[in-house]
Amino acid sequence: MNGEERRNRLLAILTASDRPVSGSALATQLNVSRQVIVQDIALLRANGTEIFSASRGYLILAKGKTASRILKVRHSDAQTEEELTLIVDLGGQVRDIFIYHKIYGVVRADLNIRSRKDIRNFIDGICSGKSSLLKNVTSGYHYHTILAEDEPSLDAIQEALAQKGLLAKLQDYEPVDFGRKADAAF
């Protein structure tokens, strides 16, 4: 199998999966090294394929999730699970987390949280490690790119976060606007 055939097969595997697929599992299925998978993912991304890296592997977002919005939030560590649960229970997916730091600029990490199980795995991972939540670098202020099936779903998520007191006010210096599409923000 040549490189193009392998990348097509790689895309087929990721498209068929609704969960992240590890680089090791992809390497085994395609009979190549994990480094070849990393290079293939980079080539596919360079050609415009949206492949996301999660803690448990790679995934391609479901095609039906077309609406996106960036929301700025602030909460305590103890409220992290409540925030994520509210979003997924209203039909949202938490694509990422990022902070806007006055010195470092934008620091972003993929989350790809779509279910309560994903939330549990994320919370367990944070609790079992020596790392703290990224939001703590900026006194709890952070952003999420939220994906949902449509704009009314995003409106419901934004309203629920506001009602719980989790939505934060944007400052003039911040490069994000709630009304803009997430992909156009940066």
Side-chain angles (χ1 to χ4, degrees):
M1 160 177 1
N2 68 29
E4 185 175 343
E5 292 169 337
R6 185 181 60 249
R7 285 184 288 281
N8 288 335
R9 178 104 169 86
L10 175 64
L11 277 176
I13 293 167
L14 292 176
T15 302
S17 178
D18 63 347
R19 294 275 170 224
V21 181
S22 73
S24 299
L26 290 167
T28 300
Q29 287 181 26
L30 298 172
N31 199 26
V32 294
S33 70
R34 199 173 83 50
Q35 184 57 38
V36 169
I37 297 299
V38 170
Q39 291 169 348
D40 283 348
I41 295 290
L43 286 170
L44 290 167
R45 286 176 172 160
N47 287 324
T49 304
E50 287 197 58
I51 300 174
F52 298 95
S53 300
S55 60
R56 299 189 184 270
Y58 301 103
L59 78 144
I60 295 177
L61 298 178
K63 300 292 185 226
K65 302 227 180 226
T66 57
S68 62
R69 188 174 300 168
I70 293 173
L71 299 178
K72 181 182 180 186
V73 292
R74 183 175 192 230
H75 55 77
S76 68
D77 287 2
Q79 292 173 301
T80 299
E81 187 169 359
E82 176 185 9
E83 171 211 31
L84 297 172
T85 301
L86 182 149
I87 294 167
V88 300
D89 284 356
L90 289 172
Q93 176 180 334
V94 184
R95 178 181 184 179
D96 59 16
I97 179 174
F98 61 99
I99 58 169
Y100 180 68
H101 192 276
K102 289 182 182 179
I103 304 298
Y104 298 120
V106 176
V107 179
R108 180 185 308 262
D110 290 332
L111 292 179
N112 298 308
I113 293 176
R114 300 191 260 184
S115 67
R116 285 180 177 236
K117 181 180 178 188
D118 291 343
I119 294 167
R120 184 78 268 138
N121 290 337
F122 175 75
I123 298 295
D124 289 350
I126 290 293
C127 291
S128 68
K130 294 182 180 172
S131 299
S132 94
L133 295 164
L134 183 59
K135 70 175 192 63
N136 293 332
V137 173
T138 51
S139 303
Y141 291 101
H142 60 289
Y143 308 83
H144 290 297
T145 305
I146 308 297
L147 306 174
E149 290 182 13
D150 51 34
E151 291 295 325
S153 296
L154 291 172
D155 292 341
I157 291 166
Q158 186 170 337
E159 178 61 30
L161 288 169
Q163 286 177 358
K164 292 281 187 181
L166 302 175
L167 207 57
K169 184 179 186 293
L170 284 172
Q171 302 300 314
D172 292 337
Y173 62 84
E174 294 176 291
V176 183
D177 180 4
F178 284 135
R180 290 169 37 190
K181 279 261 197 217
D183 294 335
F186 292 99

